[in-house]
Amino acid sequence: MLIFQGGQMNGASPDQMQAHMGKWIAWIEKLSKTDQYVAGEPLLPGGKLVTGTGGKTVTDGPYTEGKEVVGGFFIIKATDLNEAVTISKECPDFDLGSSVQVRQVMKM
């Protein structure tokens, strides 16, 4: 799983945002052609944070700094963690100061 953090385009024009989205679409298409892309979605800002015994506390959030905001995820197929790291290095948001968590999903 690739978890995308940060990488916000503050102050970008509509044309700049569309061009950047084109980079994401091209990356997804490339991964799809090699059968490495399984799923992925951007996440809407905000949400709810559920905590406490039995999930009794529900607050607005999570609120984090821009560089820590989880903006979306991909589930990919990779032979191992090293291949997943290599795939993650093509993320279009690195130029925007983003980071990518690369995590293995445990099969249950």
Side-chain angles (χ1 to χ4, degrees):
M1 174 179 275
L2 307 182
I3 303 168
F4 306 109
Q5 292 179 257
Q8 299 183 12
M9 294 189 69
N10 297 328
S13 72
D15 287 342
Q16 290 170 320
M17 291 178 8
Q18 186 174 2
H20 189 70
M21 185 55 63
K23 293 177 184 179
W24 277 93
I25 292 168
W27 188 30
I28 292 168
E29 288 174 353
K30 178 183 175 185
L31 293 172
S32 294
K33 287 179 184 176
T34 58
D35 198 35
Q36 292 175 303
Y37 181 82
V38 176
E41 297 293 339
L43 300 175
L44 293 171
K48 298 290 182 183
L49 184 62
V50 181
T51 59
T53 304
K56 291 184 180 179
T57 304
V58 180
T59 56
D60 289 337
Y63 296 108
T64 56
E65 291 185 35
K67 65 183 180 182
E68 297 172 348
V69 171
V70 175
F73 70 93
F74 280 1
I75 296 181
I76 60 168
K77 294 179 190 173
T79 56
D80 57 26
L81 190 59
N82 290 329
E83 182 181 24
V85 166
T86 298
I87 291 168
S88 76
K89 290 180 179 184
E90 295 185 29
C91 174
D93 280 357
F94 285 128
D95 292 342
L96 302 174
S98 73
S99 62
V100 179
Q101 283 190 47
V102 182
R103 305 283 300 269
Q104 289 181 286
V105 177
M106 183 185 300
K107 298 290 183 184
M108 299 290 287

